[in-house]
Amino acid sequence: MRIPAIPERVYLDHAATSPLRPEAKAAMEEGFAIWANPSSPHAEGRRARAALEDARERIRRALGWEGELIFTSGASEALWIALNRAKAKRRIVSAVEHDAVFRAAPDATVFTGEEVLDAQTLVSIQHVNSETGTINPVSDTAATLGDSGAVLLSDCAQSAGKLALPDAHMIVVSAHKLGGPIGVGALLVRDFNLLEPSGGHERGYRQGTENLPGAMGMAAALEAGEWSTTSAQRALFAESVAAHRLTIGEQVDYIFALAHPSISAQALLIRLDGQGFAVSAGSACSSGTLKKSRVLDAFGVPDDVAARTIRVSIGWNTTPQELERFSEAWRSLA
């Protein structure tokens, strides 16, 4: 009896998390050797503090950010701090924000574009949507706010290190979306005066001992930069699946929402997993339940189409050969 070969796995779920870059792993190992608390006053603590501040400056430089940087445990905590510690009293968010935004600000108003904005208003608009790859016009929104005094927050978990940061007062960054470690992120703040301090670490704007190895790994991942595919190769892949891609505004070349003509998303995930492909349906926070996507609904995608939609996302170590192999598998299914 001939045993069928087990297909080599192809990971295409980088919007959920990316594998750790070797540069980030090496930096974290260096950080683990500097084991002291960065807030301790002794020589060991001062050495750890110097390494932390070096990582902070490297991240700011890699992102082209001239304001302040608060280290967090990830994007969700950064969003919570921004939405709950901002001095603005009213929160307005876009309908397609990540679930973490609605969990952090359950009383927020969904943005319509007709609101009267003032200095007591915080507006939250993500930069790149995690389910469709749509680029939201954050900088245009900043111009619209004008002299109203409203504060603009942008979730850049899916764009930081890949696209230039938009024009916003506060920006959320996640390390593990770009090849850095899980458990570390940052809230970029144009001016600390935008936030109410809470005491503790990070200049009094975040509690908990700083994750030095994580910060060093995040800096190294951002500095590594290079991908295994070129923009031309990703464009070729986009062309190969264009017939089934949900086209919603301007989109990035590394997140694809693909709608099959007849097979449900659940069945697609099972079939593709059996063929060696790791993909998802929607964001990782909700795909485990395979419930109706709130984001696709907000974008106006019909229910029957949303039920047949999966997400394919490319990362730093995705190869052209892997993209070609997925294209062939997709054609065989579609």
Side-chain angles (χ1 to χ4, degrees), residues 14-15 18 62-64 75 125-131 133-139 153-168 170-179 188 218 222 225 227 250-255 314:
H14 290 262
S18 271
L63 292 173
I125 300 180
Q126 66 185 190
H127 192 199
V128 171
N129 186 266
S130 63
E131 294 189 37
T134 300
I135 304 173
N136 292 310
V138 179
S139 295
L153 165 67
S154 185
D155 175 4
C156 294
Q158 298 293 345
S159 63
K162 303 166 188 176
L163 303 178
L165 295 180
D167 183 16
M170 293 191 283
I171 284 176
V172 168
V173 181
S174 174
H176 74 101
K177 305 293 188 181
L178 48 84
L188 310 183
M218 181 177 179
L222 276 166
W227 283 30
E250 183 184 2
Q251 292 170 298
V252 294
D253 61 0
Y254 51 86
I255 299 177
I314 300 168

Side-chain angles (χ1 to χ4, degrees), residues 49 52-72 78 81 160 165 169-174 184-192 195 201-206 210-211 214-216 218-219 222:
R49 170 59 61 180
L52 182 71
E53 295 309 318
D54 177 68
R56 194 191 311 273
E57 181 56 33
R58 289 162 58 198
I59 293 169
R60 290 174 65 248
R61 186 165 55 247
L63 292 173
W65 181 254
E66 296 182 355
E68 308 291 349
L69 186 154
I70 301 169
F71 282 117
T72 67
I81 293 173
L165 295 180
H169 298 93
M170 293 191 283
I171 284 176
V172 168
V173 181
S174 174
V184 66
L187 174 62
L188 310 183
V189 186
R190 187 175 294 176
D191 191 315
F192 277 140
L195 299 172
H201 299 282
E202 290 298 282
R203 299 278 296 274
Y205 292 91
R206 191 235 177 194
E210 297 93 341
N211 178 359
M216 294 174 67
M218 181 177 179
L222 276 166

Side-chain angles (χ1 to χ4, degrees), residues 16-246:
T17 193
S18 271
L20 188 66
R21 284 180 179 267
E23 299 91 342
K25 181 180 179 182
M28 291 181 72
E29 290 172 347
E30 181 183 348
F32 285 126
I34 311 172
W35 45 264
N37 189 322
S39 295
S40 297
H42 45 62
E44 289 83 357
R46 294 197 302 272
R47 182 186 176 205
R49 170 59 61 180
L52 182 71
E53 295 309 318
D54 177 68
R56 194 191 311 273
E57 181 56 33
R58 289 162 58 198
I59 293 169
R60 290 174 65 248
R61 186 165 55 247
L63 292 173
W65 181 254
E66 296 182 355
E68 308 291 349
L69 186 154
I70 301 169
F71 282 117
T72 67
S73 62
S76 293
E77 186 192 7
L79 286 166
W80 191 95
I81 293 173
L83 290 162
N84 288 280
R85 295 290 181 188
K87 292 181 179 179
K89 305 302 181 185
R90 187 168 56 132
R91 277 74 174 152
I92 300 176
V93 304
S94 83
V96 297
E97 296 297 297
H98 192 279
D99 285 345
V101 169
F102 292 95
R103 287 194 295 268
D107 58 345
T109 302
V110 175
F111 186 70
T112 64
E114 300 178 358
E115 292 82 3
V116 176
L117 305 177
D118 55 30
Q120 294 299 310
T121 307
L122 181 147
V123 179
S124 179
I125 300 180
Q126 66 185 190
H127 192 199
V128 171
N129 186 266
S130 63
E131 294 189 37
T132 65
T134 300
I135 304 173
N136 292 310
V138 179
S139 295
D140 290 348
T141 301
T144 301
L145 297 182
D147 298 326
S148 68
V151 175
L152 180 59
L153 165 67
S154 185
D155 175 4
C156 294
Q158 298 293 345
S159 63
K162 303 166 188 176
L163 303 178
L165 295 180
D167 183 16
H169 298 93
M170 293 191 283
I171 284 176
V172 168
V173 181
S174 174
H176 74 101
K177 305 293 188 181
L178 48 84
I182 291 173
V184 66
L187 174 62
L188 310 183
V189 186
R190 187 175 294 176
D191 191 315
F192 277 140
N193 286 330
L194 294 169
L195 299 172
E196 293 285 358
S198 60
H201 299 282
E202 290 298 282
R203 299 278 296 274
Y205 292 91
R206 191 235 177 194
Q207 300 184 47
T209 303
E210 297 93 341
N211 178 359
L212 174 59
M216 294 174 67
M218 181 177 179
L222 276 166
E223 290 170 343
E226 294 297 323
W227 283 30
S228 297
T229 54
T230 65
S231 57
Q233 290 166 334
R234 294 192 295 275
L236 187 62
F237 174 74
E239 184 179 342
S240 73
V241 296
H244 301 108
R245 185 182 189 183
L246 298 184

